[in-house]
Amino acid sequence: MLVRDAMSTVVLTIGPTHTLRQAAALMSTRRVGAAVVHDPDAGGIGILTERDILISVGLGQSPDAERAHDHTTTDVVFAAPAWTLEEAARAMAHGGFRHLIVLDRGEPVGIVSVRDIIRCWAPVRQHVPA
C-alpha cells in the first residue's frame, strides 16, 4: 500500500504569525493533528503539531501570545505519494515524529500520520452480534 492510499488530503495551512490558540482551534475544527506552516520569508514550509502546542502550554507559555513560527519544525522530512507505507513508517521511526507532509511537485497534497498507517495495517474490526 502507498502513502497516497493512506494520507489525509485535508491539509490545514496556517501562517507563521498565527497564535498557538488560533492554530489549535483550526486543527480542532478540521480534526487534524498537524498544520502546514507556510512562511514565505523563511523560504519554505514547516509543520506545527498538536505535540508542539502541548509542549508550549506545558511550559506555561501563553497560547494567545506564542506564535506558530516559534514552535514550527522547519527541518521537515517530506514523503512522496508513491512511497510505500513501510518507507513512511521507517522515516517516522528514524526521525521520532508522527506526521509527514506529502509533497507532489513541491506542493503539499496531504499529510500521513502514524494513525493513518495503523488504520491501513490493522485488520478491520467487524461487529459480531452476540
Side-chain angles (χ1 to χ4, degrees), residues 8-13 23-36 48-50 53 99 111 115:
S8 169
T9 56
V10 175
V11 180
L12 172 62
T13 302
L26 290 167
M27 290 165 67
S28 177
T29 298
R30 299 262 177 91
R31 300 181 53 97
V32 297
V36 172
L48 178 74
T49 67
E50 56 201 357
I53 296 169
H99 298 86
I111 293 184
R115 180 176 294 156

Side-chain angles (χ1 to χ4, degrees), residues 2-17:
L2 302 178
V3 165
R4 76 170 50 91
D5 303 318
M7 71 182 190
S8 169
T9 56
V10 175
V11 180
L12 172 62
T13 302
I14 64 172
T17 60

Side-chain angles (χ1 to χ4, degrees), residues 5-81:
D5 303 318
M7 71 182 190
S8 169
T9 56
V10 175
V11 180
L12 172 62
T13 302
I14 64 172
T17 60
H18 276 79
T19 66
L20 293 188
R21 183 176 308 279
Q22 290 170 323
L26 290 167
M27 290 165 67
S28 177
T29 298
R30 299 262 177 91
R31 300 181 53 97
V32 297
V36 172
V37 181
H38 179 67
D39 189 350
D41 295 332
I45 60 176
I47 189 166
L48 178 74
T49 67
E50 56 201 357
R51 183 184 296 175
D52 298 322
I53 296 169
L54 182 66
I55 289 168
S56 175
V57 171
L59 291 172
Q61 297 172 337
S62 169
D64 294 312
E66 292 296 311
R67 302 293 172 176
H69 65 83
D70 292 323
H71 301 277
T72 298
T73 300
T74 55
D75 58 339
V76 179
V77 175
F78 298 100

